[in-house]
Amino acid sequence: MDPTFPLARKPRLGYNTAQVEEFLQRARRAYDGAALPDDEPLTSEQIRLTAFAMQKRGYSTDHVDAALARLEDAFAAQERQVAARLHGDEAWLREARMTAQVVSNRLARPEGERFERMNPLVLGYSVREVDRFTERLTRYFRDGWPISVEDVRSVVFKTQRGGYREAQVDLVLDAVVDVMLAVR
């Protein structure tokens, strides 16, 4: 049987093939409305937060990550359709606007103070790099400047001692993705 994704080339590790296959089966069932009784509900946010163990000769991380991004988009579109049917498009967009306002307020803070800082002996995200990226996000929210969901999903920051708390930055980036998917 052919693998679902290309395998990682030596000496690189790839994603655990069994975990990926199991997740994809669960996602397919959830999307089709045929979830098994013991399947956990699956949302676009959970797809974004999914992680797999690494293994030799596992699936190519680039290929799986790209598939997960497409899967997240499909689930987000489905979630929007369901919410629009239940509550109307205006309620869905109102929720997206509220989230966008919370994110915009965070991004409007002064440079170097947008997120909680780590202890000077502990690594966090580079303050300069995060602030530079948040300027792009500010222009997106304020002026409609182009930035893609993929730009936000794939951004990588260097680390520095005393940098921004990673979990807090990641949470805001997740909220940005949520807003971008909601207004597509």
Side-chain angles (χ1 to χ4, degrees), residues 65-118:
D65 288 345
L68 288 177
R70 291 188 303 273
L71 192 60
E72 179 187 357
D73 290 347
F75 270 74
Q78 189 179 58
E79 290 162 8
R80 180 179 180 166
Q81 289 174 348
V82 169
R85 274 195 308 262
L86 293 175
H87 309 291
D89 277 331
E90 187 53 40
W92 177 264
L93 292 174
R94 186 172 39 253
E95 179 73 26
R97 279 193 296 272
M98 286 176 21
T99 302
Q101 188 59 57
V102 170
V103 169
S104 293
N105 291 345
R106 165 71 65 174
L107 302 180
R109 292 179 180 182
E111 285 186 24
E113 299 175 24
R114 291 186 172 121
F115 300 94
E116 185 177 329
R117 301 286 288 268
M118 299 299 291

Side-chain angles (χ1 to χ4, degrees), residues 1-157:
M1 186 167 113
D2 289 336
T4 306
F5 299 101
L7 299 177
R9 295 180 185 247
K10 290 182 183 179
R12 299 185 72 185
L13 295 176
Y15 288 138
N16 180 291
T17 57
Q19 290 177 359
V20 171
E21 292 296 339
E22 180 181 318
F23 178 80
L24 291 176
Q25 289 174 6
R26 180 176 149 225
R28 186 173 294 118
R29 290 190 305 265
Y31 189 80
D32 292 340
L36 299 176
D38 59 339
D39 282 348
E40 298 267 337
L42 191 59
T43 65
S44 59
E45 179 182 14
Q46 289 167 321
I47 292 168
R48 184 178 330 117
L49 300 175
T50 296
F52 303 108
M54 303 299 282
Q55 71 178 52
K56 288 182 182 180
R57 300 293 292 156
Y59 284 145
S60 161
T61 57
D62 291 340
H63 287 86
V64 173
D65 288 345
L68 288 177
R70 291 188 303 273
L71 192 60
E72 179 187 357
D73 290 347
F75 270 74
Q78 189 179 58
E79 290 162 8
R80 180 179 180 166
Q81 289 174 348
V82 169
R85 274 195 308 262
L86 293 175
H87 309 291
D89 277 331
E90 187 53 40
W92 177 264
L93 292 174
R94 186 172 39 253
E95 179 73 26
R97 279 193 296 272
M98 286 176 21
T99 302
Q101 188 59 57
V102 170
V103 169
S104 293
N105 291 345
R106 165 71 65 174
L107 302 180
R109 292 179 180 182
E111 285 186 24
E113 299 175 24
R114 291 186 172 121
F115 300 94
E116 185 177 329
R117 301 286 288 268
M118 299 299 291
N119 175 306
L121 301 176
V122 179
L123 290 176
Y125 285 146
S126 165
V127 173
R128 184 177 324 144
E129 287 185 10
V130 171
D131 281 344
R132 190 176 313 131
F133 190 75
T134 59
E135 289 301 323
R136 289 182 63 196
L137 294 175
T138 298
R139 289 193 303 267
Y140 167 79
F141 283 112
R142 186 186 60 216
D143 305 325
W145 278 47
I147 187 169
S148 72
V149 173
E150 193 53 39
D151 290 337
V152 180
R153 283 180 178 142
S154 63
V155 69
V156 177
F157 304 111

